[in-house]
Amino acid sequence: MDAGPRNSTTKSSAAIEKQNSEAHEEIDVILLFTNRVESSLPDRARSFLERLPQVVRQLSKLSRSQTSPRCKSGMVLFRAMVQKDPSGQPISPDVWRPHVMEEIDVFDIDCDHNNMDQPVPLAEIGNVFSQRLNEIHATEAKEL
């Protein structure tokens, strides 16, 4: 794999920052809950939850400096089309372009990102994988 760009686009950096901000908000809610039920939490759980914001901040910092390799093949992108944020947009395949050398095939899934692992979306995704594997096997059989 070739070395890719340090950050693919400003747009993807902004998306990462938004996701990190949302994660920090969720952690703050967890910590508020922890403080309310502090006496009933085991020490290890309380200690873990108190260190969690620092871990998320460090992971966020590392992700901004991460260099991704460039894949020499194509890619299948499954996009969640239902956005929690009304102003949000489905991820553009262009975000992946710096990391993929060949074609990016996009399949839009009618759900939000957090529900991609539910039965209906997984059935759609599974059908695509099944078709792709059948195509690969048919191509390999012709080459024999």
Side-chain angles (χ1 to χ4, degrees):
M1 291 187 182
D2 300 331
R6 291 193 85 62
N7 287 318
S8 60
T9 64
T10 304
K11 186 189 253 184
S12 65
S13 295
I16 290 169
E17 287 303 318
K18 182 179 180 194
Q19 187 176 15
N20 289 338
S21 174
E22 291 170 355
H24 287 287
E25 289 173 12
E26 291 173 2
I27 290 168
D28 288 342
V29 169
I30 291 169
L31 290 175
L32 284 171
F33 175 77
T34 302
N35 291 335
R36 288 186 184 164
V37 295
E38 187 172 332
S39 61
S40 64
L41 280 176
D43 287 340
R44 286 181 66 184
R46 187 171 37 260
S47 174
F48 169 80
L49 290 172
E50 288 169 353
R51 289 190 317 260
L52 192 56
Q54 181 181 358
V55 170
V56 170
R57 279 191 291 277
Q58 183 64 22
L59 288 173
S60 175
K61 182 180 172 182
L62 290 171
S63 71
R64 286 190 297 270
S65 64
Q66 177 66 30
T67 301
S68 298
R70 191 153 190 228
C71 178
K72 293 182 180 178
S73 68
M75 175 181 149
V76 177
L77 173 63
F78 298 98
R79 295 192 309 176
M81 296 307 291
V82 176
Q83 304 299 311
K84 289 183 179 179
D85 178 359
S87 65
Q89 295 293 317
I91 190 167
S92 169
D94 295 337
V95 171
W96 288 100
R97 178 55 43 215
H99 307 285
V100 180
M101 295 178 92
E102 293 184 14
E103 189 174 334
I104 298 175
D105 294 328
V106 180
F107 293 88
D108 295 335
I109 306 297
D110 187 26
C111 69
D112 67 31
H113 180 78
N114 292 334
N115 288 304
M116 294 284 279
D117 63 349
Q118 296 303 304
V120 172
L122 280 179
E124 290 180 54
I125 293 166
N127 284 336
V128 171
F129 278 128
S130 178
Q131 288 174 328
R132 293 298 172 105
L133 289 172
N134 287 337
E135 290 169 10
I136 290 169
H137 288 131
T139 300
E140 288 176 351
K142 288 179 185 177
E143 292 176 358
L144 292 177

